[in-house]
Structure formats: structure tokens, C-alpha cells
């Protein structure tokens, strides 16, 4: 049903927090992962179909793999149940080991029995993570930590195959605050929401998808207008950078004004160079000047 929503920002947030991976966490933690792989794969396919319908995007396998990783790996947080079912089950069994022994004096730990489903899950996980989980349940381990290790391995494998420009793009998407637009709660009535085309453009950028059908020439500066849209975000010839700057300035000024901070836009003569330096007449204005900030600054 989420696929029918007209707002992809709302739809993606609901898909991530209410109707995706989280719906099957209990099943993944209580059922051996090897016994329901096909069902998990079908569920993941439904999540992908919902994403396609919400955004109008059809990412490749590598791009979808990027979307299924966490924000720390420049993903969209649409974690797949099939990929993380084994870490969930193994972590759950290890974490509940002592409680099971308290409840049942005849409880038997199957981790050391190579024929058991638990031992097979531990072996499969250790094969991928290079011996991280002990078979004796002596060391508690969290599902979050195992899933993070899986994400890191997948990310490094993906990252090594990228060109220099794509690596730089992914690194920028991993910076602090770069994922805030995905975490923000949209509030259309208050003007705190992204237009669908803006969100889709940001998602394309994060997943290294083409913004245009082919490379061409920029009509404003005669540089290459690349398919990924990177030049379009940097070109200063058409005034877009100035408009973007002014839009951000005005928005910050509105917030400051609503907080009764008496802001002044473009207040002149404040920033370096200082009066003691040459060219003092070239001192730049403040974008948003707040006359009484904290501690009198």
C-alpha cells in the first residue's frame, strides 16, 4: 500500500521504520535463517518493488545493494532481511543462552553440534566475517554489531570497484549530517519537507545513478555536463549557486527571526580581512548576523 503514496519522503520513512526490515526482526531472531531464505527473499523483493513505485527509480543490483546499507555506509537504510537473518538469529541465541539455562535445567546448547541449524548459521557467519563468533556462546554479541560488520564488508567490496569521482561522492555522503535529509520527519504544513523531485534527485546522487541520459555540454560555461549531474551542482555561470546561497541565507534568517533573535541579513564590514590588514575595504558581510548570541558574542 505504501507504493501508492504520492510523497516519496513520507513513503520511504514509513517503509524504513514501519513496514520493512523491522516487521520481520522477531522471525529472524527466533527462526534459523537457513530454513526461510526463500520467504525472506520474497519479502525483500516486495520492499524493493515498493521503493521502485515510490521513487520511480529502478536501481541496478549494485545500486540497490547500496540502498540496503545503513546511513554510515552512505545507504538508504532499507536493510534486507535475507542478508541479515543469520546475524539476527545467531545474536539472539547467544544473548538468550544464560536465560534458557535458568528456565530449563536440561537445556542443550547446539552451537558445538556441527549438524545443528545453529552451528551451521555460526559457521556461515564466521566464513564471511573471518571467525568473529565463538561456538560456545561464552561471549555475548549484539545483532547491531554483526549487521554493522556485514554492512562494512559489503561497502568495502562495493567501494573498491568505484572510480575516483564516485569514491569521492560516496565519501561525501558518509560525512556527518549527510544523511539528515533521510532521517528528518517531513512536515508539509510547516514547510519542513522536500518536494518529490528534490528527494529523488538526492537519492540518485547517493546511489550513484545518472541524472541525465548522457554526457553533454553545459550551455552556460561550455564545460562537460556529466550524466551524474555533478557539474550542474557546481556550475557558477547561471546564477544557481547564488540563488541557492540566498535561499539558505533567507531560511536561516527566518528561523532566527521566529526565535526573536533580531537577525540582520548581509550586515556589512564584519568578516576578515580585519581593519589592521591591507584591503580592509574588501571585508565581507555576514550572511545572517545575530546581534546577541551566547555569552555576548
Amino acid at each position: 500500500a505504501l507504493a501508492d503514496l504520492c510523497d516519496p519522503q513520507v513513503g520511504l520513512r514509513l517503509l524504513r521504520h514501519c513496514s520493512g526490515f523491522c516487521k520481520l526482526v522477531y522471525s529472524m531472531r527466533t527462526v534459523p535463517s537457513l530454513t526461510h531464505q526463500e520467504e525472506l527473499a520474497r519479502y525483500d523483493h516486495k520492499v524493493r518493488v515498493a521503493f521502485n513505485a515510490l521513487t520511480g527509480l529502478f536501481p541496478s543490483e549494485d545500486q540497490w545493494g547500496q540502498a540496503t546499507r545503513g546511513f554510515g555506509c552512505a545507504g538508504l537504510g532499507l536493510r534486507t532481511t535475507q542478508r541479515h537473518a543469520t546475524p539476527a538469529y545467531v545474536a539472539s541465541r547467544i544473548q538468550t543462552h544464560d536465560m534458557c539455562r535458568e528456565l530449563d535445567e536440561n537445556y542443550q546448547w547446539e552451537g558445538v553440534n556441527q549438524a545443528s541449524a545453529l552451528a551451521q548459521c555460526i559457521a556461515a557467519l564466521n566464513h564471511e566475517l573471518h571467525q568473529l563468533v565463538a561456538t560456545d556462546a561464552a561471549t555475548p554479541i549484539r545483532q547491531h554489531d554483526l549487521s554493522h560488520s556485514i554492512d562494512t564488508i559489503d561497502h568495502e567490496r562495493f567501494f573498491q570497484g568505484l572510480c575516483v569521482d564516485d569514491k569521492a561522492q560516496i565519501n561525501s555522503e558518509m560525512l556527518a549530517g549527510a544523511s539528515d535529509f533521510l532521517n528528518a520527519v517531513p512536515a508539509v504544513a510547516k514547510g519542513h519537507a522536500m518536494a518529490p523531485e528534490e528527494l529523488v534527485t538526492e537519492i540518485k546522487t547517493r546511489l550513484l545513478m545518472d541524472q541525465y541520459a548522457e554526457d553533454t555540454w553545459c550551455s552556460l560555461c561550455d564545460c562537460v555536463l556529466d550524466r551524474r549531474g555533478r557539474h550542474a551542482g557546481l556550475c557558477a555561470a547561471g546564477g544557481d549557486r547564488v540563488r541557492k546561497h540566498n535561499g539558505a541565507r533567507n531560511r536561516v534568517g527566518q528561523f532566527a527571526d521566529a526565535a526573536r533573535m533580531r537577525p540582520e541579513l548581509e550586515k556589512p564590514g564584519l568578516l576578515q580581512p580585519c581593519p589592521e590588514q591591507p584591503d580592509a575595504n574588501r571585508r565581507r558581510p555576514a550572511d545572517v548576523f545575530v546581534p546577541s548570541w551566547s555569552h555576548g558574542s
Side-chain angles (χ1 to χ4, degrees):
L2 289 178
D4 296 330
L5 291 176
C6 60
D7 190 326
Q9 188 178 16
V10 173
L12 284 179
R13 185 171 176 82
L14 292 176
L15 188 62
R16 192 169 64 248
H17 288 283
C18 305
S19 302
F21 179 85
C22 58
K23 282 293 186 184
L24 292 192
V25 169
Y26 180 79
S27 297
M28 289 187 291
R29 289 178 63 85
T30 56
V31 179
S33 56
L34 300 177
T35 63
H36 58 164
Q37 285 291 303
E38 292 183 4
E39 289 78 7
L40 295 176
R42 284 199 290 270
Y43 186 81
D44 291 338
H45 176 70
K46 289 181 179 294
V47 171
R48 185 171 181 174
V49 169
F51 171 84
N52 295 344
L54 277 168
T55 62
L57 302 178
F58 295 86
S60 66
E61 291 303 316
D62 284 344
Q63 291 163 347
W64 179 245
Q66 178 70 8
T68 63
R69 289 189 277 279
F71 294 162
C73 293
L76 299 180
L78 298 175
R79 182 165 284 169
T80 65
T81 59
Q82 187 181 28
R83 187 78 175 104
H84 293 271
T86 299
Y89 178 70
V90 170
S92 175
R93 291 297 306 271
I94 292 176
Q95 287 176 318
T96 57
H97 173 263
D98 292 342
M99 288 182 285
C100 289
R101 293 186 64 180
E102 291 178 10
L103 291 171
D104 183 3
E105 61 182 13
N106 297 316
Y107 172 75
Q108 297 292 322
W109 172 254
E110 311 123 68
V112 294
N113 179 5
Q114 295 184 357
S116 69
L118 175 58
Q120 293 176 32
C121 289
I122 293 177
L125 195 58
N126 281 336
H127 175 73
E128 190 156 28
L129 301 182
H130 309 296
Q131 285 298 120
L132 181 67
V133 181
T135 58
D136 58 4
T139 305
I141 193 164
R142 298 191 306 159
Q143 175 185 340
H144 175 273
D145 295 333
L146 292 176
S147 288
H148 177 71
S149 297
I150 291 288
D151 271 358
T152 300
I153 288 174
D154 290 345
H155 171 75
E156 289 177 353
R157 187 183 300 125
F158 167 74
F159 190 79
Q160 292 306 315
L162 300 178
C163 66
V164 174
D165 288 346
D166 286 347
K167 286 182 177 179
Q169 180 68 57
I170 291 298
N171 282 333
S172 72
E173 295 290 340
M174 295 170 63
L175 294 174
S179 301
D180 287 354
F181 77 99
L182 293 168
N183 250 339
V185 179
V188 178
K190 294 183 178 180
H192 302 167
M194 298 179 72
E197 60 271 17
E198 292 175 334
L199 182 74
V200 170
T201 298
E202 290 293 341
I203 291 174
K204 282 183 176 182
T205 299
R206 173 161 283 219
L207 299 186
L208 302 180
M209 301 180 72
D210 291 343
Q211 304 283 358
Y212 310 113
E214 59 184 7
D215 293 345
T216 184
W217 294 104
C218 177
S219 59
L220 299 174
C221 70
D222 260 356
C223 290
V224 175
L225 182 61
D226 59 287
R227 288 176 294 174
R228 294 287 168 80
R230 289 166 186 157
H231 174 74
L234 297 173
C235 181
D240 288 337
R241 283 171 58 179
V242 174
R243 284 194 291 271
K244 183 163 61 175
H245 167 273
N246 292 346
R249 176 202 63 195
N250 294 344
R251 195 62 179 272
V252 172
Q254 290 167 7
F255 282 128
D257 186 57
R260 301 296 187 265
M261 301 174 79
R262 297 184 292 112
E264 184 176 343
L265 303 187
E266 299 294 344
K267 185 176 177 63
L270 289 177
L271 302 180
Q272 293 293 338
C274 69
E276 290 77 23
Q277 293 177 328
D279 300 322
N281 60 328
R282 297 177 59 191
R283 297 182 75 191
R284 293 176 290 125
D287 294 324
V288 181
F289 174 71
V290 177
S292 54
W293 194 248
S294 61
H295 305 293
S297 62

